Structures are given as structure tokens and as C-alpha cells.
């Protein structure tokens, strides 16, 4: 059975802190790993990772994948209160099936 | 970016009635649409995979006769919760994969539909 595990489950930091969110996976026929940010409603897309060792960056957010060790990290630097959300990691298989982790709830205090 | 619209965003119904939720890809054609269920403070649970013109593939434990999925066109999939009961109350979200990038795995999400069954 495909499995995606995110850690920590929740995290409380202060504005300006840097956070690292983890996502490890065990799936058959891995195709890609996606990170999403979910606030009140639907998840919004952050990154898609398919190759090991290539960092993807968007502003203060960055992510990297390690296909040998089967994990990915999402980094957020200089956090802001607007970064407070649930961050979801999903793995897509070659068959197109998606498996989501339980998410990490990030709270950024002013 | 690709836009997926879900309707209604919020529905309240009486026990025993059926509710239909629509998922539309507005500016792209979707080969595949996915339906998820999300309980409070939990992650998205994949319910079924919907391919245009063919029967949906349901995940283990999801009742096909309870959650009817129709994917009649490349831009529309519907989920009908039949004979809804209070335990069906949940947040239902759809996502779609673009015809232009079927291999990339990128998913575009609808806004979700919150169903409350009284």
C-alpha cells in the first residue's frame, strides 16, 4: 500500500523564523511529488518535483527531492503570518494515482 | 493558470436525499478528474478516479452505489451522493489533470464543496 508521511504534524513559529517540513514516501512506480498549501478551501499548488537533487524555488519557499532516501523537504524562510496554513505533500504514481500525507499545520505568530 | 470550478460550494440537505456536486475545468480539458473527501483536520482521501467516457475507478472502501461519478465530457465530472446520511457530511474536493500535461502529475483543485446532511 502506498504511504506518504509528513512531519511534524503541527508547528508553531514566530514571524521571521525559518521552517523545514518533511515528507517521506513509500510508493510503487513513483512519478512525481507535489507540495500544496491549503488555507480555508482547496489546496493551492506550490511545487512539483520529479528529479532528485534539483531545488525548486519560489520566493521564500524552496523544495528538494531525494529519490534515493525517498523524501522531500519544503523550506520556508523569513516566515510571515500569511504562511499559516496546512501544507500537504502528495505523491503521484505512473498509473496517475495520488496519495496525500496527513499534512503539516503551520502557525506563524506575529 | 488552470482553473477548476466546483459547485455548489456549500450544501445542506435532509437525510435520504441525493446531492450532486459538479467539477468543471474552465480553461483546459481534463483527461482525468479525481474526487477526494476531507474530514476536519485530516488530509485528502482519494475516493475515485474519473476518466472521460469510461467508468470511474473507486478506491477500496468507497461504495460505488453511494457515490455516483459521471464524467460526461473533458471539462465536467459530477459526484452524486445518493441517499445521503449525516455520516456523509464532509468536505468534498475535486482535482483535474490537464490533457496537455497528462504525464506530469500536476493536479488543479476545485474550491471544494462542504456537504452537511441533517
Amino acid at each position: 500500500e502506498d504511504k506518504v508521511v509528513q512531519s511534524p504534524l503541527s508547528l508553531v513559529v514566530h514571524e521571521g523564523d525559518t521552517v523545514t517540513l518533511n515528507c517521506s514516501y513509500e510508493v510503487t512506480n513513483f512519478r512525481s511529488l507535489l507540495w500544496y498549501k491549503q488555507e480555508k478551501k482547496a489546496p493551492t499548488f506550490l511545487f512539483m518535483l520529479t528529479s532528485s537533487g534539483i531545488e525548486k524555488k519560489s520566493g521564500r519557499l524552496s523544495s528538494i527531492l531525494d529519490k534515493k532516501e525517498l523524501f522531500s523537504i519544503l523550506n520556508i524562510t523569513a516566515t510571515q503570518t500569511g504562511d499559516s496554513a496546512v501544507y500537504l505533500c502528495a505523491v503521484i504514481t505512473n498509473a496517475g494515482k495520488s496519495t496525500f500525507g496527513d499534512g503539516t499545520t503551520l502557525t506563524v505568530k506575529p | 493558470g488552470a482553473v477548476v470550478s466546483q459547485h455548489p460550494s456549500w450544501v445542506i440537505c435532509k437525510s435520504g436525499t441525493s446531492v450532486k456536486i459538479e467539477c468543471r475545468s474552465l480553461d483546459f480539458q481534463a483527461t482525468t478528474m479525481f474526487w477526494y473527501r476531507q474530514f476536519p483536520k485530516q488530509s485528502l482521501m482519494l475516493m475515485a478516479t474519473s476518466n472521460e467516457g469510461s467508468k470511474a475507478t473507486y478506491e477500496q472502501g468507497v461504495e460505488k452505489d453511494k457515490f455516483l461519478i459521471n464524467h460526461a465530457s473533458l471539462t465536467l465530472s459530477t459526484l452524486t451522493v445518493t441517499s445521503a446520511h449525516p455520516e456523509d457530511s464532509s468536505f468534498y474536493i475535486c482535482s483535474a489533470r490537464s490533457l496537455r500535461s497528462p504525464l506530469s502529475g500536476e493536479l488543479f483543485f476545485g474550491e471544494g464543496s462542504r456537504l452537511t446532511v441533517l
Side-chain angles (χ1 to χ4, degrees):
Chain A
E1 187 184 335
D2 296 338
K3 198 189 319 186
V4 177
V5 178
Q6 288 185 248
S7 63
L9 288 179
S10 67
L11 192 54
V12 180
V13 300
H14 286 96
E15 272 193 315
D17 289 348
T18 293
V19 297
T20 298
L21 311 182
N22 303 288
C23 175
S24 63
Y25 61 91
E26 289 177 33
V27 300
T28 306
N29 296 319
F30 171 92
R31 179 195 296 173
S32 57
L33 185 145
L34 295 88
W35 283 98
Y36 287 88
K37 177 183 181 182
Q38 185 176 27
E39 295 175 87
K40 292 189 177 175
K41 287 195 173 179
T44 52
F45 174 77
L46 295 176
F47 297 110
M48 181 173 66
L49 304 158
T50 54
S51 301
S52 264
I54 299 174
E55 185 185 50
K56 293 232 174 167
K57 205 166 165 61
S58 175
R60 295 176 294 102
L61 278 66
S62 63
S63 184
I64 197 160
L65 174 68
D66 186 328
K67 287 168 78 172
K68 184 180 175 187
E69 300 297 329
L70 307 183
F71 78 92
S72 171
I73 59 171
L74 174 68
N75 273 322
I76 308 175
T77 59
T79 51
Q80 302 170 357
T81 54
D83 295 327
S84 296
V86 176
Y87 290 84
L88 296 168
C89 168
V91 173
I92 312 293
T93 67
N94 285 329
K97 183 180 169 182
S98 56
T99 303
F100 279 80
D102 285 337
T104 293
T105 301
L106 173 65
T107 304
V108 181
K109 292 189 171 181
Chain B
V3 178
V4 175
S5 170
Q6 213 173 312
H7 176 81
S9 57
W10 198 350
V11 57
I12 300 173
C13 69
K14 288 185 178 179
S15 190
T17 60
S18 293
V19 174
K20 182 187 281 189
I21 301 170
E22 292 186 348
C23 178
R24 289 180 188 273
S25 54
L26 296 186
D27 53 358
F28 68 99
Q29 292 182 317
T31 53
T32 307
M33 288 183 171
F34 303 89
W35 287 96
Y36 305 84
R37 186 171 179 177
Q38 187 174 33
F39 293 102
K41 302 199 176 184
Q42 291 188 28
S43 190
L44 283 74
M45 182 192 79
L46 179 65
M47 297 173 66
T49 302
S50 168
N51 292 298
E52 186 264 340
S54 62
K55 287 185 181 179
T57 304
Y58 290 81
E59 295 300 305
Q60 196 171 7
V62 178
E63 298 175 59
K64 300 178 185 183
D65 296 330
K66 174 81 174 166
F67 299 99
L68 299 178
I69 291 172
N70 183 276
H71 194 156
S73 75
L74 286 173
T75 58
L76 174 65
S77 176
T78 60
L79 167 69
T80 301
V81 183
T82 62
S83 187
H85 290 285
E87 57 266 29
D88 298 323
S89 298
S90 190
F91 192 54
Y92 293 89
I93 306 180
C94 72
S95 70
R97 177 175 299 133
S98 171
L99 189 67
R100 285 199 295 268
S101 58
L103 300 180
S104 72
E106 185 174 354
L107 302 172
F108 303 98
F109 283 86
E111 289 283 304
S113 300
R114 184 163 301 285
L115 170 64
T116 302
V117 185
L118 301 176

